[in-house]
Amino acid sequence: MSEKALKPLSTVPGLEGSNESSCKGDLSKQGIGTANGNVEELKNKGCASIRPQVNGENSNSGAEVGSSEVEYIESENLTDLEDVSSSLKTLLAGLESKDWVLVCGALNNTRRLAIYHREDMLDMLGDVISLLVKSMKNPRSAVCKTALMTSADIFSAYNDKMIESLDPMLVQLLLKSSQDKRFVCEAAEKALVAMTSSFSPELLLPKLEPYLKNRNPRIRAKASMCFCRSVPRLGVEGIRAYGIDKLIQTAASQLSDQLPESREAARILLLELQSVYEKFPNLPTTMPEDPEKGSWEDFCQSKLSPLSAQAVLRVTNVSREGIVSSS
């Protein structure tokens, strides 16, 4: 996919209390600034797919006029590096460059190293992630999107090995997936999907929990969707260890959320938990002194406030009745 012109991202607001709109916007024409770097040198290094392009549009006051085309390469289409040793030596310098063209090239090299030479980059992964987060914050859309694509490849390559470095990346992914540049938003959402499929859920869920209570409703919604995708990957034993009562309480808290995305994620999660509970009635809870559990209704009423239990039962009973009536 190529963007012939990309205009700069607006400054990303802080995590708390930001009021960002959902994924909206026009992909078709978004201007980027003139490339200051040596494009041919970058091509020879195989760093990025960037082609010179004549742009005849007149610049507006204070606006940048795009003069090059950035081609966003899907992971499966990235080829191996010709000189791995040289690329490793110049990688950090490229990621730190003030030339956005060179930064995009270094990010694509990071992706290639993660895919084809993950062990070779492992020792410098901490420094790479720090600079990757910096690129995610970059106001230039081309750099930001390439960094988001890079994060997805890094998640797939290193998974649990990088769980301690996830927090700063997670903050940016939740923010970028909640803002109004559609093609940036979509790249962030793909990275979040890669994250939930790459990390062990028992490690990832505690990282997501604080964002379920974030003051920004869009952050909560994206976190809820990630949480919902991760829980089924726990399996029965994982749910047993995490505590099905704790998971139900977390899902119930999202049912009354401001945004429909949060409420829908909670509904899907509750149906999953109800299915597990009814198939495995002796599944222990986080309270070992609990008596033998009865019906789903009794369990919800014993673990939740009356209002929360009523909301959960309404959602799960309506969904069950819909399944029965359609069969």
Side-chain angles (χ1 to χ4, degrees):
M1 161 177 168
S2 69
E3 299 289 334
K4 295 197 173 178
L6 303 171
K7 77 185 162 181
L9 276 169
S10 58
T11 303
V12 177
L15 180 62
E16 291 295 331
S18 57
N19 184 20
E20 295 153 311
S21 59
S22 164
C23 301
K24 298 175 184 176
D26 184 6
L27 292 179
S28 56
K29 294 202 173 182
Q30 306 169 342
I32 50 177
T34 303
N36 296 321
N38 187 331
V39 177
E40 286 303 319
E41 178 185 353
L42 198 61
K43 278 185 177 181
N44 292 336
K45 291 181 179 180
C47 294
S49 294
I50 301 174
R51 300 195 297 271
Q53 180 189 34
V54 176
N55 189 333
E57 297 181 2
N58 295 324
S59 62
N60 295 324
S61 176
E64 295 175 298
V65 180
S67 63
S68 58
E69 179 180 318
V70 177
E71 192 171 346
Y72 303 111
I73 310 171
E74 296 300 327
S75 301
E76 59 270 22
N77 296 327
L78 282 169
T79 56
D80 197 358
L81 293 159
E82 293 182 3
D83 189 341
V84 177
S85 178
S86 175
S87 297
L88 284 167
K89 290 177 182 177
T90 60
L91 185 64
L92 296 180
L95 292 172
E96 288 182 297
S97 175
K98 294 182 179 179
D99 185 334
W100 70 270
V101 175
L102 294 180
V103 174
C104 286
L107 287 168
N108 276 333
N109 270 359
T110 302
R111 298 174 67 199
R112 291 182 171 98
L113 288 166
I115 293 170
Y116 295 105
H117 306 280
R118 68 189 70 177
E119 294 301 325
D120 294 327
M121 195 170 63
L122 188 57
D123 289 342
M124 58 194 301
L125 188 59
D127 293 331
V128 169
I129 290 174
S130 296
L131 294 171
L132 176 59
V133 171
K134 181 180 177 182
S135 291
M136 289 184 191
K137 299 176 183 178
N138 195 297
R140 191 179 290 276
S141 300
V143 176
C144 180
K145 176 169 179 174
T146 307
L148 294 170
M149 297 174 74
T150 303
S151 67
D153 290 325
I154 285 182
F155 291 152
S156 299
Y158 295 103
N159 42 71
D160 290 349
K161 292 179 181 178
M162 58 164 294
I163 189 67
E164 296 305 321
S165 303
L166 178 61
D167 288 332
M169 296 180 71
L170 179 55
V171 171
Q172 291 303 314
L173 290 173
L174 292 172
L175 281 169
K176 298 302 180 184
S177 65
S178 307
Q179 55 105 47
D180 59 359
K181 293 283 187 181
R182 180 180 295 172
F183 73 108
V184 172
C185 177
E186 289 174 347
E189 288 181 336
K190 287 181 180 179
L192 287 173
V193 171
M195 177 189 73
T196 54
S197 61
S198 298
F199 289 98
S200 298
E202 58 269 20
L203 297 177
L204 182 59
L205 291 175
K207 299 283 187 183
L208 290 169
E209 280 183 352
Y211 298 103
L212 298 175
K213 300 176 182 178
N214 191 269
R215 292 192 328 195
N216 184 335
R218 300 198 180 281
I219 298 297
R220 293 198 303 270
K222 298 300 181 181
S224 294
M225 294 166 69
C226 292
F227 198 90
C228 175
R229 285 196 300 265
S230 297
V231 169
R233 298 185 64 242
L234 283 169
V236 175
E237 290 302 318
I239 291 175
R240 183 195 306 272
Y242 202 91
I244 190 170
D245 50 342
K246 181 180 177 182
L247 291 169
I248 290 172
Q249 290 161 2
T250 299
S253 70
Q254 301 301 303
L255 273 182
S256 58
D257 197 81
Q258 178 179 345
L259 291 184
E261 292 93 334
S262 293
R263 300 195 297 271
E264 177 63 12
R267 186 188 69 83
I268 293 171
L269 177 54
L270 285 167
L271 289 171
E272 176 74 21
L273 294 172
Q274 179 189 26
S275 176
V276 170
Y277 180 88
E278 292 179 344
K279 287 179 181 177
F280 303 93
N282 295 321
L283 198 68
T285 69
T286 55
M287 302 294 291
E289 69 274 13
D290 281 351
E292 184 176 348
K293 298 192 296 291
S295 67
W296 169 253
E297 289 79 6
D298 291 339
F299 182 62
C300 290
Q301 289 168 354
S302 69
K303 297 298 178 183
L304 303 169
S305 69
L307 285 177
S308 292
Q310 185 179 19
V312 168
L313 294 175
R314 184 187 305 116
V315 165
T316 52
N317 288 340
V318 166
S319 298
R320 175 188 290 174
E321 289 168 5
I323 294 172
V324 171
S325 62
S326 62
S327 61

